[in-house]
Amino acid sequence: MIDDARERIGRRGFLGAAGAGALGLAGCIGDDEPEPVGEGGNGGDGGDAAELRMRTATSTTAAYAANQGLAAAVNENTDSIFVEAQTSPGTEANIGALQSGEAEMVYIQNWSAADIREGVEPFDDLDFTLNQVFHYYDLPWFFCTGGDLESITDIGADTTVSPTPRGSGTASALEHALDYAVDDYERVSEDYGEQGSAMSEGRLDVGVGTYLNFEIVPGWLQEMMGTVDLRLLDVPDDVVGAWEDDDRLLAESFPGEEIEDAEAPEEVWSIAFSYNFVSRNDLDYDTVYEFLNVLYENREGLSEYHALLSRLEEAGFWVENPYDDVPFHPAAADFYEEIGVWSDDLERGEG
């Protein structure tokens, strides 16, 4: 069931967009500056090595911590490139960093990829073609409660719901998904780690949880389950069908028994996000190839840097859940052909 659901990600409409003209997106997408190296970056001196600046998210996230692991794995095993893990306000700001030349490789997710596909401002005037490099991780989000609700359709006008904090990269997608199930609810905003206490104090009826790469329960969710009798909400078949029919959403499921210490339906349906690293099409061929080659040769030890990297031990995971119509960087395409994971369903970029 999980494999079938994951296969759908590679078949959805995540299209890339290429445009002409320089817009200076860095000033338009996200106002926060990334933390400089030495104050949140991985530090070090790259010397004469080719520099590869990689951006993910803020300094407290697993995405950033795992990216530090990727940087360390490369820097400890080659002198020809130097990887610098940098923080970022989020995936939209990452595209701005590619546009401005402030980063060489960044991660985005499918909701942002759809915005690029549709030419939503400020993605409507990019001066490069977006290329994929490798799949990073999957992040499914499900709705949960510490109260008496059993189904997502039990949510009513007086139900307080926090579909992630306002302004988060996932909020718009989860609010959009809720529209298929309910007519109205009271939108509140609670930080992830505060949801448990908000439920126990009666300030929050429905919150959200996540299950990183369908194998890791984050610490803040474990704290929620220790604070309240958490129940994962069921999603009726008609709502699941509506989610699956929406090109902007990824509907994925996993067995409820995998989330211990919480009551859950037999099959938990979620709105998932596929996070992939991308680059400009003109990123140096040898830099991309060496980066992938070094990481792949050392893939069996990546989980020692961070548990989130464990799935990269599987060769096929590097090209899992690609965005449709976003070509792979030529160096990545060649590398994946050499290790035997390339398929005719994937598109090779022109550089």
Side-chain angles (χ1 to χ4, degrees), residues 80-137:
S80 61
I81 60 175
F82 179 76
V83 178
E84 179 184 298
Q86 294 185 340
T87 57
S88 168
T91 56
E92 292 185 351
N94 287 343
I95 297 298
L98 290 183
Q99 176 84 337
S100 65
E102 295 177 286
E104 286 71 43
M105 195 181 298
V106 303
Y107 88 166
I108 64 171
Q109 35 91 334
N110 51 279
W111 192 259
S112 295
D115 283 342
I116 295 172
R117 173 196 70 198
E118 296 171 7
V120 176
E121 291 186 1
F123 302 125
D124 56 343
D125 199 15
L126 299 179
D127 66 355
F128 63 91
T129 299
L130 192 69
N131 277 184
Q132 299 184 79
V133 181
F134 69 101
H135 180 52
Y136 194 32
Y137 64 84

Side-chain angles (χ1 to χ4, degrees), residues 57 68 73 83 196 214 224 255 288 305:
Q68 287 182 301
V83 178
F214 296 88
M224 283 179 65
V288 176
Y305 294 97

Side-chain angles (χ1 to χ4, degrees), residues 6 9 135 138 274 276 311 314 316-322:
R6 287 175 180 164
I9 296 185
H135 180 52
D138 297 306
S274 174
N276 296 344
R311 292 291 306 281
E314 310 164 21
F317 189 76
W318 296 66
V319 294
E320 191 167 302
N321 304 342

Side-chain angles (χ1 to χ4, degrees), residues 1 5 8 12 151-153 177 180-181 233-246 249-253 265 267-271:
M1 182 178 300
R8 286 196 297 271
R12 307 293 289 212
S151 170
I152 189 175
T153 55
Y180 285 111
L233 295 180
D234 188 29
V235 181
D237 291 342
D238 61 331
V239 176
V240 171
W243 288 356
E244 292 180 323
D245 290 339
D246 190 323
L249 296 178
L250 293 174
E252 291 208 47
S253 67
E267 184 178 16
V268 177
W269 279 96
S270 67
I271 297 298

